[in-house]
Amino acid sequence: MAEVRRRLLATLLAIVAALPAVAAGASDPAPSAASVAASAAATVKFAAPGARPTAADPALEARMLAITGELRCLVCQNQTIADSHADLAVDLRQEVREMLQKGETPEQIRKYMTDRYGDFVLYRPPLKASTAVLWLGPAVLLAVALLALVVVIRKRARLADDQFEPEPMLDDGTEAVDAPPRPGSLA
Amino acid sequence: MKALKFLIPLVVFLVLAGFCAYALVQNHDPHEVPSPLIDKPAPEFALTRLDQPGQTIRRADLLGKVWMLNVWASWCEACRDEHPYLVEFAKLKALPIYGLDYKDQREPAQAWLAERGNPYDASLFDANGRVGIDFGVYGVPETFIIDKQGVIRFKKIGALTPEVLRDDVLPLLRKLNG
């Protein structure tokens, strides 16, 4: 029974360790800044001449989308400002265009955003006391899970053979694991 | 010690369940992001009055008194729910209430106030939403309390309720004016 418990524990820890990774995957910044930039450039081609003078500069548009692709839209929360069609996101994209035209750096633009909306807008929040669990939690859980795995494996290695359940036997008395599959058997 | 080892999975489960229960029970709205603007100076602004396009109101004009900034718009659904409470609250004359008419047009906005009552000492007309952005507005209605030194002391995202006005706004006012 101890064996079963140990196996359960190891499995559980592995699942717990995997959870943050899954969560991180789910909230991953949409890696589509480049593709959005491409589609924006395509849109520009079809736009009426002079309709959107700021979008007429594909380089500026690409820089704008690279920055807003890492900023969270506060209205829809799971989209980036680059992706979102929310009114506020449209305004903020325009704001970023104008800031870039004035020669402001991406750092200045990110500060502009966090001054107003907090670290929550950043898909890559800074490492500080309040975000330490977010950044270090998955690594700590992974370390705990690996440690548990090592402990369990080393314990098992020290156990005598008779502590394990016998391997299932085939009809002819050989162990199923070691025996080559017999012709016609599904195993 | 060894005898208690079988409890470890249970403890792990309880910790996870605790996090889930916390998220469920404490009525947490993920849309309410804590504002970094609390205890920071209110942003500068200079906007015309909704009813008098010729008259400009600036941040400096409102220094020296505790005042409320309520962000609203005639297109905003939740503002309709909030408005009666605000009209009622204005009758207490507890503090000057300024509106920020966010990304709106003058005529529908004025008609909206004429129909529903005007609780505002004045509404600032923010046609392109720039001042709204500076205040970090992302979900209209929003309400700010700004102290005599022009520092933001309170922010409510979403519609005001009588409970918020009674339990948060009025006690804060007593503190700031006392």
Side-chain angles (χ1 to χ4, degrees):
Chain A
M1 276 319 282
E3 188 52 39
V4 175
R5 279 206 299 271
R6 252 181 248 129
R7 246 183 258 163
L8 271 177
L9 174 63
T11 314
L12 196 72
L13 282 172
I15 292 172
V16 170
L19 278 176
V22 174
S27 67
D28 205 28
S32 56
S35 66
V36 176
S39 69
T43 315
V44 170
K45 254 188 259 170
F46 298 111
R52 289 175 64 198
T54 45
D57 179 352
L60 178 80
E61 200 66 4
R63 285 178 66 206
M64 183 278 286
L65 288 170
I67 293 168
T68 54
E70 296 218 341
L71 297 173
R72 186 192 304 271
C73 169
L74 268 291
V75 181
C76 16
Q77 296 205 347
N78 285 328
Q79 274 186 301
T80 64
I81 291 176
D83 279 341
S84 174
H85 292 284
D87 245 16
L88 182 63
V90 175
D91 289 352
L92 287 175
R93 284 201 291 271
Q94 185 56 31
E95 197 74 35
V96 171
R97 271 187 208 108
E98 286 170 27
M99 290 175 83
L100 284 172
Q101 277 170 338
K102 274 185 249 163
E104 298 197 25
T105 63
E107 284 67 41
Q108 285 171 311
I109 293 170
R110 275 192 281 274
K111 182 170 186 308
Y112 173 92
M113 295 293 173
T114 49
D115 280 350
R116 284 157 182 74
Y117 309 107
D119 289 338
F120 186 73
V121 291
L122 302 176
Y123 271 114
R124 294 176 207 272
L127 178 56
K128 49 183 167 183
S130 60
T131 58
V133 174
L134 179 74
W135 278 105
L136 304 179
V140 169
L141 282 173
L142 182 67
V144 168
L146 287 177
L147 197 71
L149 190 66
V150 167
V151 167
V152 167
I153 288 173
R154 295 183 81 171
K155 263 191 180 165
R156 285 182 62 134
R158 280 200 300 271
L159 289 176
D161 275 354
D162 60 2
Q163 296 278 306
F164 295 94
E165 288 171 31
E167 300 289 350
M169 296 288 175
L170 294 176
D171 301 342
D172 56 9
T174 56
E175 282 189 2
V177 175
D178 299 329
R182 290 183 303 175
S185 82
L186 287 172
Chain B
M1 188 55 219
K2 194 141 186 152
L4 291 175
K5 224 172 141 187
F6 72 96
L7 284 175
I8 291 176
L10 181 69
V11 170
V12 172
F13 168 76
L14 285 179
V15 168
L16 282 179
F19 278 115
C20 296
Y22 173 74
L24 275 177
V25 173
Q26 56 118 34
N27 201 14
H28 173 74
D29 180 357
H31 274 269
E32 280 189 34
V33 180
S35 174
L37 288 162
I38 300 286
D39 294 332
K40 300 265 166 61
E44 291 290 339
F45 60 85
L47 290 172
T48 61
R49 281 179 65 126
L50 174 65
D51 51 356
Q52 291 166 38
Q55 197 190 332
T56 301
I57 297 178
R58 291 177 176 79
R59 176 181 181 272
D61 300 337
L62 300 172
L63 289 177
K65 53 188 171 188
V66 182
W67 59 287
M68 175 188 280
L69 182 72
N70 177 253
V71 185
W72 66 280
S74 65
W75 48 262
C76 156
E77 297 283 339
C79 300
R80 276 172 226 179
D81 301 334
E82 168 186 89
H83 205 71
Y85 303 130
L86 206 55
V87 171
E88 209 47 42
F89 181 71
K91 289 181 188 156
L92 297 177
K93 300 222 173 294
L95 81 172
I97 303 176
Y98 287 83
L100 182 74
D101 186 18
Y102 178 69
K103 301 198 74 167
D104 210 345
Q105 291 168 319
R106 284 187 196 271
E107 275 115 68
Q110 283 176 290
W112 197 87
L113 286 183
E115 186 186 328
R116 290 177 170 78
N118 186 352
Y120 305 113
D121 292 72
S123 267
L124 313 166
F125 185 61
D126 185 22
N128 59 15
R130 282 296 168 90
V131 172
I133 288 178
D134 283 343
F135 272 89
V137 170
Y138 63 87
V140 192
E142 289 189 14
T143 303
F144 299 81
I145 305 284
I146 294 155
D147 73 11
K148 292 173 182 170
Q149 286 77 43
V151 174
I152 296 173
R153 301 300 290 266
F154 172 85
K155 178 184 183 185
K156 164 78 184 156
I157 297 157
L160 289 170
T161 60
E163 291 74 35
V164 171
L165 290 167
R166 187 190 61 215
D167 300 336
D168 295 326
V169 173
L170 286 176
L172 177 65
L173 269 184
R174 279 194 288 275
K175 201 178 112 197
L176 293 179
N177 281 324

